[in-house]
């Protein structure tokens, strides 16, 4: 199946700093990628839809100025958590569709962010 | 807005039993439905993908069914094993994928 990678797999940062997370589709092109956030013992919550060449679409309640999304190419989307605070600590997962013609989404392995 | 409900929220059964996990969703305008498993602290593992035109899919000991019109899907696990212990997530796929809260499954050795 199609492979999606994320980098880094985990990151620890100080409060107030910004952190960038990369999501790559390794063997297919993805015009749309999705970003999710998962707090401990909770399910995945969709944060935003990342569209190549255009602005991301954010879900209600997600601050677009805090979570900057850039879909620079058909194989790369980045999520930047700006001025991170401890409450932003979470597991961030991306997904990308395409390559199979089945509208199937392929998920990255996730990035665990800890803000001190 | 799609809402996904998974029942039960948690389940503990002895090894070897067959079991059924249930998923219901409110918006039937979906392209497909995926079942995933997630181990603690890990990412998602895709188990089965059912297209909206299909009724079921099978992979090994797993069988998933889809009744799109009624907004229901079930995941059947045969002859459960301790290695099946994980959280199972149902995800109807439309323009977006919305996840249920999952069923935490514990198979007792």
């Amino acid at each position: 199946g199609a492979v999606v990678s994320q980098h880094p797999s985990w990151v620890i940062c100080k409060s107030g700093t910004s952190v960038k997370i990369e999501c790559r589709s390794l063997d297919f092109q993805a015009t749309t990628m999705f970003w999710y956030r998962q707090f401990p013992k909770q399910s995945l919550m969709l944060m935003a839809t990342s569209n190549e060449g255009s602005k991301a679409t954010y879900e209600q309640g997600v601050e677009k100025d805090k979570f900057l999304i850039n879909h620079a190419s058909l194989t790369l989307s980045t999520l930047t958590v700006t001025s991170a605070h401890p409450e932003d600590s979470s597991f961030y997962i991306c997904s990308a569709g395409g390559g199979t013609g089945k509208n199937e989404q392929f998920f990255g392995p996730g990035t665990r962010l800890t803000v001190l | 807005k799609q809402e996904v409900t998974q029942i039960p929220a948690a389940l503990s059964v002895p090894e070897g039993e067959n079991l059924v996990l249930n998923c219901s969703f409110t918006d039937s305008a979906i392209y497909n439905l995926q079942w995933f498993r997630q181990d603690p602290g890990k990412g998602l593992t895709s188990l089965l993908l059912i297209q909206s035109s299909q009724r079921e899919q099978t992979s090994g000991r797993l069988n998933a069914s889809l009744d799109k019109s009624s907004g229901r899907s079930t995941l059947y696990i045969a002859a459960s094993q301790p290695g099946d212990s994980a959280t199972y997530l149902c995800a109807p796929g439309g323009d977006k994928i919305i996840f249920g809260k999952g069923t935490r499954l514990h198979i007792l050795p």
Side-chain angles (χ1 to χ4, degrees):
Chain A
V3 179
V4 176
S5 69
Q6 282 186 240
H7 178 80
S9 57
W10 60 270
V11 57
I12 301 173
C13 69
K14 293 182 179 180
S15 184
T17 61
S18 294
V19 175
K20 179 183 287 187
I21 302 170
E22 294 185 348
C23 176
R24 293 182 184 272
S25 55
L26 298 185
D27 49 4
F28 66 98
Q29 294 184 330
T31 55
T32 303
M33 292 183 176
F34 299 89
W35 286 96
Y36 297 82
R37 178 169 54 182
Q38 185 179 34
F39 292 110
K41 298 189 184 301
Q42 297 188 23
S43 191
L44 282 77
M45 297 298 296
L46 179 65
M47 298 175 66
T49 304
S50 171
N51 303 298
E52 189 270 337
S54 65
K55 292 182 179 180
T57 304
Y58 291 82
E59 295 298 302
Q60 190 173 9
V62 178
E63 299 174 60
K64 62 180 181 180
D65 294 330
K66 180 170 184 62
F67 299 99
L68 302 179
I69 292 173
N70 186 323
H71 200 139
S73 73
L74 288 172
T75 59
L76 173 64
S77 175
T78 61
L79 168 68
T80 300
V81 183
T82 63
S83 186
H85 289 93
E87 58 265 30
D88 298 322
S89 299
S90 187
F91 192 50
Y92 293 87
I93 303 179
C94 71
S95 72
T100 65
K102 297 179 180 179
N103 288 311
E104 184 174 6
Q105 288 290 317
F106 298 94
F107 285 78
T111 297
R112 186 162 303 283
L113 170 64
T114 301
V115 185
L116 302 177
Chain B
K1 179 183 176 183
Q2 181 73 280
E3 294 183 3
V4 183
T5 303
Q6 289 189 243
I7 295 174
L11 182 62
S12 291
V13 299
E15 179 179 5
E17 285 200 5
N18 303 324
L19 52 98
V20 176
L21 309 183
N22 297 290
C23 171
S24 62
F25 50 95
T26 56
D27 185 354
S28 61
I30 60 172
Y31 303 128
N32 55 44
L33 185 142
Q34 289 183 250
W35 281 92
F36 297 88
R37 70 173 278 167
Q38 185 176 31
D39 294 286
K42 304 294 185 181
L44 304 179
T45 300
S46 180
L47 298 174
L48 289 164
L49 168 72
I50 312 175
Q51 296 295 337
S52 61
S53 59
Q54 297 176 319
R55 299 286 290 183
E56 65 179 319
Q57 277 288 335
T58 298
S59 176
R61 295 183 293 108
L62 305 179
N63 175 278
S65 68
L66 173 63
D67 185 341
K68 180 183 169 183
S69 61
S70 68
R72 295 179 187 277
S73 178
T74 61
L75 178 67
Y76 176 82
I77 302 177
S80 58
Q81 302 172 358
D84 295 330
S85 298
T87 295
Y88 289 79
L89 296 166
C90 164
D95 291 333
K96 312 172 189 177
I97 290 184
I98 303 297
F99 284 85
K101 292 185 177 181
T103 293
R104 294 189 308 280
L105 177 63
H106 182 47
I107 306 300
L108 305 168

